[in-house]
Amino acid sequence: MCLHALLLLALLGAISVSGAAQADGARIDKVLILKQERRLDIISGGEIIRTYRVALGRQPVGHKQEVGDQRTPEGIYTIDWRHKSADFNLGMHLDYPNLKDKTSAYKRGVDPGGMIMIHGTPIDEEYPEWYFEGLDWTNGCIALTNQEMRALWELVPDGTLVEIKP
């Protein structure tokens, strides 16, 4: 067999292997957050594949209106970037404020705020992870345990739609 044929076979083998790996992995369609239930669902193919309990902002009822109100926004957002944080383990940033949020804030003459993330719990010896269980303690973000955040980090890619409902 000539070298070109071997290279072609190797390339075809690599393509079919990578395609098979994608077919086996679940494609994540959406992250759904139900604030009243303190629940985050990961949805693939219209089915919930994982559910986590979450903590919200200290003022969990109602849509975020302005910077400092400690509310978690409600609406449709996207995960637009992520980072590893010394304070909150892993974090995935939401593209809040969206155009609707900015327009509403502009009409009211307020700053809509920003830096809304899905993140883990603080890495702090004074306040261990169990301390935050069952509390709404963020400034408007959505928080999971660090173990759950690591799983979410692996499953959910940037660009994923996030819907936050009351």
PDB file of all heavy atoms in Angstrom, residues 6 8 36 49 53 60-61 75 81 128 162:
ATOM      1  N   LEU A   6      -2.143   5.047   3.020  1.00  0.00           N
ATOM      2  CA  LEU A   6      -2.045   4.875   4.470  1.00  0.00           C
ATOM      3  C   LEU A   6      -2.450   6.152   5.201  1.00  0.00           C
ATOM      4  O   LEU A   6      -3.171   6.112   6.201  1.00  0.00           O
ATOM      5  CB  LEU A   6      -0.629   4.461   4.865  1.00  0.00           C
ATOM      6  CG  LEU A   6      -0.238   3.028   4.548  1.00  0.00           C
ATOM      7  CD1 LEU A   6       1.240   2.818   4.830  1.00  0.00           C
ATOM      8  CD2 LEU A   6      -1.069   2.059   5.367  1.00  0.00           C
ATOM      9  N   LEU A   8      -4.434   8.510   4.069  1.00  0.00           N
ATOM     10  CA  LEU A   8      -5.869   8.671   3.881  1.00  0.00           C
ATOM     11  C   LEU A   8      -6.655   7.781   4.836  1.00  0.00           C
ATOM     12  O   LEU A   8      -7.609   8.214   5.474  1.00  0.00           O
ATOM     13  CB  LEU A   8      -6.256   8.380   2.426  1.00  0.00           C
ATOM     14  CG  LEU A   8      -7.727   8.570   2.080  1.00  0.00           C
ATOM     15  CD1 LEU A   8      -8.173   9.995   2.359  1.00  0.00           C
ATOM     16  CD2 LEU A   8      -7.987   8.192   0.648  1.00  0.00           C
ATOM     17  N   GLN A  36     -37.519  29.566  42.437  1.00  0.00           N
ATOM     18  CA  GLN A  36     -38.370  29.231  43.577  1.00  0.00           C
ATOM     19  C   GLN A  36     -38.032  27.848  44.139  1.00  0.00           C
ATOM     20  O   GLN A  36     -38.090  27.629  45.339  1.00  0.00           O
ATOM     21  CB  GLN A  36     -39.837  29.304  43.184  1.00  0.00           C
ATOM     22  CG  GLN A  36     -40.772  29.158  44.370  1.00  0.00           C
ATOM     23  CD  GLN A  36     -42.218  29.437  43.991  1.00  0.00           C
ATOM     24  OE1 GLN A  36     -42.604  29.331  42.836  1.00  0.00           O
ATOM     25  NE2 GLN A  36     -43.011  29.797  44.973  1.00  0.00           N
ATOM     26  N   ILE A  49     -30.969  15.649  32.330  1.00  0.00           N
ATOM     27  CA  ILE A  49     -29.984  14.590  32.580  1.00  0.00           C
ATOM     28  C   ILE A  49     -29.312  14.727  33.945  1.00  0.00           C
ATOM     29  O   ILE A  49     -28.791  13.759  34.472  1.00  0.00           O
ATOM     30  CB  ILE A  49     -28.918  14.505  31.465  1.00  0.00           C
ATOM     31  CG1 ILE A  49     -28.118  15.800  31.341  1.00  0.00           C
ATOM     32  CG2 ILE A  49     -29.568  14.127  30.142  1.00  0.00           C
ATOM     33  CD1 ILE A  49     -26.870  15.666  30.498  1.00  0.00           C
ATOM     34  N   ARG A  53     -29.149  21.278  43.404  1.00  0.00           N
ATOM     35  CA  ARG A  53     -29.721  22.320  44.271  1.00  0.00           C
ATOM     36  C   ARG A  53     -28.774  23.507  44.210  1.00  0.00           C
ATOM     37  O   ARG A  53     -27.561  23.335  44.212  1.00  0.00           O
ATOM     38  CB  ARG A  53     -29.830  21.804  45.701  1.00  0.00           C
ATOM     39  CG  ARG A  53     -30.332  22.871  46.661  1.00  0.00           C
ATOM     40  CD  ARG A  53     -31.052  22.286  47.853  1.00  0.00           C
ATOM     41  NE  ARG A  53     -31.386  23.201  48.895  1.00  0.00           N
ATOM     42  CZ  ARG A  53     -32.124  24.305  48.782  1.00  0.00           C
ATOM     43  NH1 ARG A  53     -32.577  24.672  47.621  1.00  0.00           N
ATOM     44  NH2 ARG A  53     -32.389  25.067  49.824  1.00  0.00           N
ATOM     45  N   PRO A  60     -33.744  36.694  46.889  1.00  0.00           N
ATOM     46  CA  PRO A  60     -34.002  35.804  45.762  1.00  0.00           C
ATOM     47  C   PRO A  60     -35.294  36.053  44.978  1.00  0.00           C
ATOM     48  O   PRO A  60     -35.420  35.603  43.847  1.00  0.00           O
ATOM     49  CB  PRO A  60     -34.046  34.420  46.412  1.00  0.00           C
ATOM     50  CG  PRO A  60     -34.480  34.685  47.809  1.00  0.00           C
ATOM     51  CD  PRO A  60     -33.884  36.010  48.173  1.00  0.00           C
ATOM     52  N   VAL A  61     -36.247  36.781  45.557  1.00  0.00           N
ATOM     53  CA  VAL A  61     -37.529  36.977  44.878  1.00  0.00           C
ATOM     54  C   VAL A  61     -37.440  38.189  43.952  1.00  0.00           C
ATOM     55  O   VAL A  61     -36.999  39.268  44.358  1.00  0.00           O
ATOM     56  CB  VAL A  61     -38.678  37.169  45.900  1.00  0.00           C
ATOM     57  CG1 VAL A  61     -39.993  37.440  45.191  1.00  0.00           C
ATOM     58  CG2 VAL A  61     -38.793  35.935  46.788  1.00  0.00           C
ATOM     59  N   GLY A  75     -34.592  35.390  33.109  1.00  0.00           N
ATOM     60  CA  GLY A  75     -34.616  35.608  31.668  1.00  0.00           C
ATOM     61  C   GLY A  75     -33.744  34.606  30.945  1.00  0.00           C
ATOM     62  O   GLY A  75     -33.380  33.557  31.489  1.00  0.00           O
ATOM     63  N   TRP A  81     -18.196  33.046  29.059  1.00  0.00           N
ATOM     64  CA  TRP A  81     -16.810  32.733  29.388  1.00  0.00           C
ATOM     65  C   TRP A  81     -16.757  32.085  30.765  1.00  0.00           C
ATOM     66  O   TRP A  81     -17.736  32.075  31.486  1.00  0.00           O
ATOM     67  CB  TRP A  81     -15.883  33.956  29.301  1.00  0.00           C
ATOM     68  CG  TRP A  81     -16.278  35.174  30.084  1.00  0.00           C
ATOM     69  CD1 TRP A  81     -17.034  36.215  29.644  1.00  0.00           C
ATOM     70  CD2 TRP A  81     -15.916  35.494  31.447  1.00  0.00           C
ATOM     71  NE1 TRP A  81     -17.172  37.157  30.640  1.00  0.00           N
ATOM     72  CE2 TRP A  81     -16.487  36.750  31.746  1.00  0.00           C
ATOM     73  CE3 TRP A  81     -15.161  34.855  32.428  1.00  0.00           C
ATOM     74  CZ2 TRP A  81     -16.336  37.369  32.983  1.00  0.00           C
ATOM     75  CZ3 TRP A  81     -15.013  35.472  33.660  1.00  0.00           C
ATOM     76  CH2 TRP A  81     -15.597  36.720  33.922  1.00  0.00           C
ATOM     77  N   PRO A 128     -16.497  26.704  56.098  1.00  0.00           N
ATOM     78  CA  PRO A 128     -16.423  25.512  55.239  1.00  0.00           C
ATOM     79  C   PRO A 128     -17.667  25.386  54.357  1.00  0.00           C
ATOM     80  O   PRO A 128     -18.698  26.026  54.606  1.00  0.00           O
ATOM     81  CB  PRO A 128     -16.332  24.358  56.234  1.00  0.00           C
ATOM     82  CG  PRO A 128     -16.795  24.898  57.536  1.00  0.00           C
ATOM     83  CD  PRO A 128     -16.607  26.375  57.513  1.00  0.00           C
ATOM     84  N   VAL A 162     -28.879  29.597  28.958  1.00  0.00           N
ATOM     85  CA  VAL A 162     -29.283  29.480  30.362  1.00  0.00           C
ATOM     86  C   VAL A 162     -30.599  30.236  30.521  1.00  0.00           C
ATOM     87  O   VAL A 162     -30.661  31.440  30.261  1.00  0.00           O
ATOM     88  CB  VAL A 162     -28.215  30.059  31.305  1.00  0.00           C
ATOM     89  CG1 VAL A 162     -28.689  30.001  32.763  1.00  0.00           C
ATOM     90  CG2 VAL A 162     -26.887  29.339  31.135  1.00  0.00           C
TER      91      VAL A 162
END
